[in-house]
Amino acid sequence: MQKGTHIKVKIDKVGFQGIGIGVLDQKLNPDVDIPEDEFGKKVLIQNTLPGEVVRAQVFRNKKKFTDAEKIETIEVSPMSVTPRCKHFEICGGCKWQNLSYEEQLKIKQTHVIETLTHLGGFDEEMINKLMQPILPCENQWQYRNKVELSFGWDANMEPSFGFHAENRRYDIFNIKECHLMSDRMFEVALAIKNFAEQNKLTAYKFREGIGLLRSATIREAKNTGEILVNLEMSNEEFSDNLRKEFVESLANFNIDSIFITQVITARGHRTERNEVLLHGKPTIMERMNINNQVYTFHISPSSFFQTNTGQAERLYHMALQNLNLQGTDTVLDLFCGTGTIGIIAAKFVNNVIGIELNPDAVVDAEKNAELNQEPNIEFIAGDVGEILKDFEKEGRINSLQNKKIIVDPPRSGLMPKMIEYILKLRPTHINYVSCNPTTQARDIKELCENGYQITLIQPVDMFPHTYHIENVMGLTYSHISG
């Protein structure tokens, strides 16, 4: 089958990363010049739904599968709904707005099951027995507490401020609505756009390294109502008058913190980021209720904080489930970020050790521990693998009593050395939080091959209308669980 061949495909299911999967069927393509041995091959097509029949164009044909690009829908999926947003066709964001929420949840749960059985090699019956129903999001719209909008140009090279067009690194379309941010956040975004236009400020050109404005980030603490704005720019001049005008342009929105961040880049040199507070306080505050206990957290411009506050409360509750926390325990919170999960765990155990690569996040974590009056928690800045290696050299691994681990790694999962040191620590319980079920399945497989067994599988829908899924898995060492 040649590149450019037009084919008809019925989509059977949606795979990981939201790619539609169908089979090349001769009945749908009786008049297309296709070699007979191609029929029955899987065809992968983005932006398609189960039950949809599409006309597509082949752009890559491999031995085991074919990649094709959707041209048009011939038959609409019975699962489809009308997208709410007028930008749905071009935006690279929430691509499942046209899929009913019930079906989104079913597909996400299926993804977790399939990755554990196909990639992890676990018994499907056992996985289905342990699998808890996915936790749906109560607020499927306006759930984001953080949005980042970019300055740039659209496909016609007109100045624009908004989001990236799908699969386009540099094309930015002007935002006219967004249903994942609150009305207040959207109004702030429009005010920032108007400020830039009125002052004829240029967007930064990444290839040439010239221009001023790069992006604007708006953060809203959902439970306190506090809001932070950060205007990111190059190191070109942003005068005192412009700084004053920028603050004044946001005066009607009761903004709690207004920053500018100048990003200095030079070939062969490390990128520098200089944050300058123009108005208000250096952090906003968010409150979270977990297990009927209220916690308060600082959020700065560069803080990592779960983007969906309501679901984060449920996620953190689940992250502590199955650990059977006791007053004599030592909990290691690996990839701890700003310390949220570790601080919550600290109330129930002897001590917590949080390890995080980003030193700025560690500073925030220490502030959060003080804010929540948790003295029995220690934060260490550094690479998780290297810190665990140092623990081994210092003999600290053996000195830690009743060890339990919470691990929330980046999408790439755990490096082999990290798993090696975790196995040397031999915690009685591990709770593994992941935003990438594929790398999670790989890591869980190795842990289970070395004495652990799965006791909990709990998917959480953090991002409605996208294919992303968060999953919590609990493990216990086999001699503990019998």
Side-chain angles (χ1 to χ4, degrees):
M1 203 164 34
Q2 299 297 313
K3 179 178 180 181
T5 301
H6 284 208
I7 56 176
K8 295 179 183 177
V9 181
K10 181 176 182 180
I11 303 302
D12 298 318
K13 66 176 185 177
V14 174
F16 189 60
Q17 296 186 336
I19 298 175
I21 303 173
V23 174
L24 191 59
D25 188 342
Q26 192 168 15
K27 292 180 181 179
L28 286 174
N29 299 275
D31 302 322
V32 184
D33 186 17
I34 300 174
E36 193 168 328
D37 60 357
E38 294 278 12
F39 291 112
K41 182 188 289 187
K42 286 184 179 180
V43 184
L44 312 183
I45 309 174
Q46 287 190 333
N47 299 328
T48 54
L49 302 178
E52 183 178 7
V53 179
V54 301
R55 188 188 311 279
Q57 180 173 311
V58 174
F59 67 85
R60 181 168 49 230
N61 190 29
K62 295 196 171 185
K63 186 175 181 180
K64 293 186 178 180
F65 65 91
T66 296
D67 283 320
E69 184 174 8
K70 177 179 171 180
I71 298 173
E72 64 173 336
T73 298
I74 299 171
E75 293 182 21
V76 175
S77 166
M79 302 174 187
S80 68
V81 296
T82 302
R84 181 176 292 196
C85 182
K86 64 177 63 176
H87 299 305
F88 175 75
E89 293 294 337
I90 61 170
C91 184
C94 39
K95 299 305 295 181
W96 276 2
Q97 273 195 42
N98 62 337
L99 178 64
S100 72
Y101 189 58
E102 293 75 14
E103 293 300 328
Q104 292 181 35
L105 296 176
K106 289 178 184 177
I107 291 172
K108 291 181 182 187
Q109 179 142 342
T110 299
H111 285 172
V112 175
I113 294 171
E114 288 182 346
T115 53
L116 288 170
T117 54
H118 297 167
L119 297 180
F122 294 102
D123 178 70
E124 187 171 354
E125 184 178 349
M126 182 267 288
I127 294 300
N128 284 323
K129 183 178 179 181
L130 293 171
M131 173 72 68
Q132 299 299 307
I134 184 171
L135 291 178
C137 184
E138 293 179 1
N139 299 315
Q140 295 147 34
W141 305 102
Q142 299 193 357
Y143 61 80
R144 290 190 67 92
N145 58 38
K146 176 186 176 183
V147 291
E148 182 178 334
L149 301 113
S150 298
F151 294 91
W153 293 265
D154 61 19
N156 299 317
M157 292 309 295
E158 293 293 327
S160 57
F161 175 67
F163 297 128
H164 289 264
E166 184 180 19
N167 297 325
R168 303 291 293 177
R169 183 176 180 184
Y170 296 109
D171 287 355
I172 308 296
F173 64 87
N174 269 316
I175 185 173
K176 295 181 180 178
E177 63 182 20
C178 177
H179 299 283
L180 298 193
M181 69 174 92
S182 69
D183 293 340
R184 183 184 178 200
M185 294 172 81
F186 183 73
E187 289 169 359
V188 171
L190 293 183
I192 294 170
K193 180 178 184 289
N194 291 336
F195 163 77
E197 289 176 347
Q198 290 170 7
N199 288 280
K200 299 180 179 179
L201 303 179
T202 59
Y204 181 73
K205 294 183 178 180
F206 286 83
R207 288 173 179 152
E208 293 89 344
I210 58 174
L212 179 64
L213 300 180
R214 296 167 67 105
S215 66
T217 299
I218 305 167
R219 308 186 75 145
E220 181 182 48
K222 295 295 186 180
N223 293 327
T224 65
E226 295 189 2
I227 196 164
L228 179 152
V229 171
N230 183 27
L231 187 64
E232 188 174 286
M233 61 190 64
S234 70
N235 61 339
E236 289 188 6
E237 182 182 2
F238 192 67
S239 68
D240 289 342
N241 283 339
L242 281 174
R243 296 181 185 205
K244 182 180 178 181
E245 285 186 38
F246 181 53
V247 172
E248 290 174 350
S249 72
L250 300 174
N252 294 330
F253 302 102
N254 298 318
I255 308 296
D256 297 274
S257 303
I258 300 177
F259 285 83
I260 59 170
T261 297
Q262 292 188 302
V263 182
I264 303 170
T265 58
R267 190 180 298 276
H269 295 273
R270 187 175 180 179
T271 299
E272 294 182 31
R273 299 177 60 87
N274 298 324
E275 290 178 2
V276 179
L277 177 63
L278 300 185
H279 167 80
K281 52 186 184 176
T283 61
I284 58 173
M285 310 294 283
E286 179 62 297
R287 287 193 298 269
M288 302 183 78
N289 189 324
I290 296 105
N291 295 336
N292 297 317
Q293 176 73 45
V294 176
Y295 300 85
T296 307
F297 298 102
H298 291 278
I299 302 176
S300 66
S302 56
S303 290
F304 171 78
F305 197 83
Q306 287 284 354
T307 309
N308 185 333
T309 307
Q311 286 297 83
E313 291 178 329
R314 305 180 80 185
L315 177 71
Y316 294 154
H317 168 75
M318 296 310 306
L320 298 180
Q321 293 294 298
N322 195 62
L323 287 178
N324 190 27
L325 296 176
Q326 304 293 324
T328 56
D329 290 344
T330 294
V331 171
L332 282 86
D333 183 8
L334 309 183
F335 307 95
C336 69
T338 54
T340 45
I341 299 177
I343 288 168
I344 296 164
K347 290 190 179 297
F348 307 101
V349 300
N350 181 53
N351 68 308
V352 175
I353 301 170
I355 304 174
E356 167 60 42
L357 179 63
N358 185 340
D360 294 332
V362 170
V363 171
D364 285 338
E366 290 171 341
K367 290 178 182 177
N368 286 331
E370 183 178 353
L371 187 65
N372 289 280
Q373 299 179 342
E374 291 298 345
N376 61 330
I377 186 167
E378 169 191 5
F379 293 104
I380 303 172
D383 178 80
V384 172
E386 292 300 316
I387 298 298
L388 294 180
K389 182 179 179 180
D390 291 341
F391 277 15
E392 184 186 35
K393 287 181 180 178
E394 297 164 3
R396 193 171 179 182
I397 282 181
N398 294 328
S399 68
L400 299 174
Q401 299 299 313
N402 301 323
K403 299 179 288 288
K404 296 174 180 178
I405 283 180
I406 302 167
V407 58
D408 187 0
R411 292 187 63 81
S412 56
L414 299 174
M415 299 298 287
K417 274 290 182 185
M418 294 180 197
I419 294 181
E420 179 183 326
Y421 287 117
I422 288 173
L423 292 172
K424 287 181 180 179
L425 279 164
R426 192 170 287 181
T428 59
H429 298 72
I430 300 173
N431 267 16
Y432 189 139
V433 183
S434 176
C435 60
N436 186 350
T438 57
T439 54
Q440 185 185 43
R442 176 200 68 198
D443 296 340
I444 294 291
K445 177 182 180 181
E446 185 166 353
L447 290 167
C448 288
E449 288 172 349
N450 286 275
Y452 287 88
Q453 67 179 37
I454 302 169
T455 52
L456 173 72
I457 309 170
Q458 178 63 73
V460 182
D461 186 25
M462 300 291 288
F463 303 105
H465 313 301
T466 78
Y467 61 78
H468 297 288
I469 177 68
E470 203 93 5
N471 190 44
V472 181
M473 293 193 67
L475 304 170
T476 57
Y477 196 62
S478 57
H479 80 276
I480 296 295
S481 54

